[in-house]
């Protein structure tokens, strides 16, 4: 099974000061550091690291903003079956948390099913991550800049609140999906124009960066490959850091398709089949129940999925803004 008709539909930027989304974001451009810039110090500025600290979008905040700013929202809603985010899709595909129970909820509204993950460890999202966990974001600061070929400002603190998100559409088997995912930047060598323009979005070559430790196999490789695949990213950059958090040798750029073909324990088609099977189960369990104020909750552990036998009323403030509910009801 394959993901087909994958398309970048929109790019949105989250502003932590206003706690709002806006289109046509400041996209960042990938650059290869020059030999004189090495080693790249991934520890630099850790004491100034800015955590998200509550700067999170509410459930389905991205899809609500995206749909309400579409020129023909009704047409899009009639075409789509599921609204999700990439993190939820990865858990369904098997993201490596096999021994841990994960909890989810699904809600049908005007025929479309919205699926979200239920966070259990909220406190972890309000604390400064340990040093090595910040390396990837710091590494991005060395290679992603505001214009093609520009020099980075690695003295600035890493601010994990500021995120750019992509909205993607794709077809998986019998389902049309609309989902969101964080975007690091693009590998385009020329400046892009207005990212609200669909023709400009078609030109975006999304880029991804991973940090591995020298001499140690990275067990998160399948997760990283799935993340890239779902965002239509083919060229992947790998930075190898030593035990002191220094990247001493040039960053390697590899092909996602090539790496996937070399991973003997990883098959993207099997993972997509698993995702499709879970979406089928959710669709069957939801039946014709259609209410934005109720959801079906379920949990997963390993390959088993357990649904509650009733719908749960959603506590205020709910999953959807009232403005969005009114907007959809009036279409």
């Amino acid at each position: 099974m394959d993901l087909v008709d994958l398309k970048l539909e929109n790019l949105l930027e989250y502003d932590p000061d206003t706690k709002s989304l806006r289109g046509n974001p400041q996209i960042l451009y990938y650059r290869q550091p020059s030999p004189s810039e090495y080693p790249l110090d991934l520890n630099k500025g850790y004491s100034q690291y800015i955590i998200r600290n509550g700067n999170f979008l509410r459930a389905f905040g991205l899809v609500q903003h995206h749909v309400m700013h579409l020129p023909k929202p009704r047409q899009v809603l009639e075409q789509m079956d599921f609204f999700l985010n990439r993190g939820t899709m990865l858990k369904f595909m098997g993201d490596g948390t096999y021994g841990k129970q994960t909890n989810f909820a699904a809600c049908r509204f005007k025929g479309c099913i919205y699926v979200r993950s239920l966070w259990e460890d909220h406190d972890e999202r309000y604390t400064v991550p340990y040093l090595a966990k910040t390396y990837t974001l710091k590494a991005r600061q060395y290679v992603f800049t505001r214009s093609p070929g520009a020099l980075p400002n690695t003295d600035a603190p890493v601010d994990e609140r500021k995120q750019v998100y992509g909205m993607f559409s794709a077809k998986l088997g019998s389902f049309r999906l609309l989902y969101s995912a964080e975007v690091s930047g693009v590998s385009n060598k020329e400046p892009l124009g207005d990212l609200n323009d669909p023709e400009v979005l078609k030109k975006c070559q999304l880029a991804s960066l991973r940090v591995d430790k020298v001499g140690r196999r990275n067990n998160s490789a399948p997760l990283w490959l799935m993340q890239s695949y779902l965002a239509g990213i083919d060229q992947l950059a790998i930075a190898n850091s030593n035990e002191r958090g220094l990247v001493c040798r040039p960053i390697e750029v590899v092909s996602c398709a090539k790496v996937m073909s070399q991973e003997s324990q990883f098959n993207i088609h099997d993972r997509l089949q698993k995702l499709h099977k879970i979406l089928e189960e959710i669709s069957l369990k939801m039946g014709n129940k259609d209410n934005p104020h109720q959801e079906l909750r379920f949990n997963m552990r390993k390959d088993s999925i357990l649904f509650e036998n009733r719908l749960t009323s959603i506590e205020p403030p709910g999953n959807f803004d009232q403005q969005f509910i009114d907007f959809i009801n009036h279409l």
Side-chain angles (χ1 to χ4, degrees), residues 2-234:
D2 286 306
L3 200 64
V4 298
D5 298 333
L6 176 59
K7 181 182 177 184
L8 176 61
E9 299 283 354
N10 200 357
L11 284 169
L12 299 167
E13 184 172 10
Y14 177 71
D15 184 335
D17 296 321
T18 62
K19 296 184 182 295
S20 62
L21 290 163
R22 65 179 181 86
N24 193 25
Q26 170 60 64
I27 197 71
L28 300 179
Y29 295 81
Y30 180 82
R31 59 179 285 276
Q32 193 74 351
S34 66
S36 63
E37 294 178 60
Y38 291 94
L40 312 180
D41 185 0
L42 305 185
N43 306 291
K44 185 178 179 181
Y46 174 67
S47 61
Q48 299 173 295
Y49 190 90
I50 302 173
I51 61 173
R52 293 195 179 187
N53 193 29
N55 281 275
F56 294 92
L57 290 162
R58 287 179 52 213
F60 313 123
L62 284 160
V63 70
Q64 289 182 95
H65 185 281
H66 173 69
V67 170
M68 292 181 68
H69 289 80
L70 287 171
K72 297 180 180 180
R74 182 172 181 174
Q75 180 179 334
V76 172
L77 290 169
E78 288 175 346
Q79 293 174 348
M80 296 299 166
D81 300 296
F82 281 90
F83 293 115
L84 317 94
N85 64 44
R86 183 173 57 181
T88 298
M89 296 168 72
L90 291 170
K91 289 187 181 298
F92 291 167
M93 295 168 72
D95 65 354
T97 57
Y98 287 113
K100 183 178 179 181
Q101 177 175 301
T102 48
N103 302 293
F104 306 90
C107 172
R108 187 193 293 274
F109 183 30
K110 295 298 182 182
C112 298
I113 298 177
Y114 298 74
V115 185
R116 67 188 182 103
S117 174
L118 301 177
W119 287 86
E120 298 296 332
D121 301 319
H122 295 282
D123 291 343
E124 290 185 9
R125 306 193 295 165
Y126 289 81
T127 57
V128 178
Y130 60 86
L131 182 59
K133 203 168 183 180
T134 69
Y135 282 172
T136 297
L137 287 179
K138 187 62 183 181
R140 289 180 191 172
Q141 200 177 62
Y142 282 97
V143 301
F144 286 104
T145 56
R146 294 172 68 89
S147 60
L151 293 176
N153 177 14
T154 59
D155 292 326
V158 172
D159 187 350
E160 68 175 16
R161 302 173 306 163
K162 296 180 179 180
Q163 297 288 342
V164 173
Y165 299 92
M167 293 298 304
F168 300 85
S169 65
K171 191 170 190 297
L172 179 66
S174 56
F175 300 121
R176 291 289 309 184
L177 315 177
L178 185 70
Y179 57 93
S180 60
E182 291 183 4
V183 170
S184 302
V186 296
S187 59
N188 297 69
K189 301 303 182 186
E190 299 295 331
L192 294 164
D194 184 354
L195 293 171
N196 287 324
D197 184 342
E199 293 304 313
V200 175
L201 285 177
K202 290 179 184 178
K203 299 176 183 178
C204 288
Q205 300 166 17
L206 298 185
S208 179
L209 171 72
R210 187 181 84 192
V211 176
D212 284 350
K213 282 191 176 180
V214 175
R216 185 181 300 178
R217 177 175 174 78
N218 194 313
N219 294 324
S220 66
L223 173 62
W224 186 58
L225 290 170
M226 289 189 292
Q227 287 177 330
S228 300
Y229 180 89
L230 293 176
I233 299 172
D234 182 58

